Amino acid sequence: MKKARNFLLLLLLAALTIQALSMALLPLVPYIVSALAIVLVMGFVYYKMTRW
């Protein structure tokens, strides 16, 4: 019984941690996606300019 209670407590802590992380990261997702797109475009342009 004690093992099951510890396991349930661990699951609860994991769920709360995941929820807190998603609440912290979800507002940043558009910025991350746009920054990634900008870096990809700049890398593509650099590759096109420096290629022989």
Side-chain angles (χ1 to χ4, degrees):
M1 189 67 195
K2 191 173 182 180
K3 198 177 245 185
R5 192 168 59 216
N6 283 343
F7 183 69
L8 285 173
L9 193 65
L10 188 69
L11 278 178
L12 183 67
L13 279 172
L16 286 173
T17 306
I18 291 169
Q19 188 177 13
L21 277 174
S22 68
M23 282 176 66
L25 290 179
L26 276 178
L28 300 175
V29 167
Y31 299 110
I32 294 169
V33 170
S34 58
L36 194 64
I38 290 168
V39 168
L40 281 172
V41 168
M42 287 173 68
F44 182 72
V45 169
Y46 176 77
Y47 171 74
K48 284 285 188 185
M49 285 172 58
T50 56
R51 196 176 54 168
W52 289 98

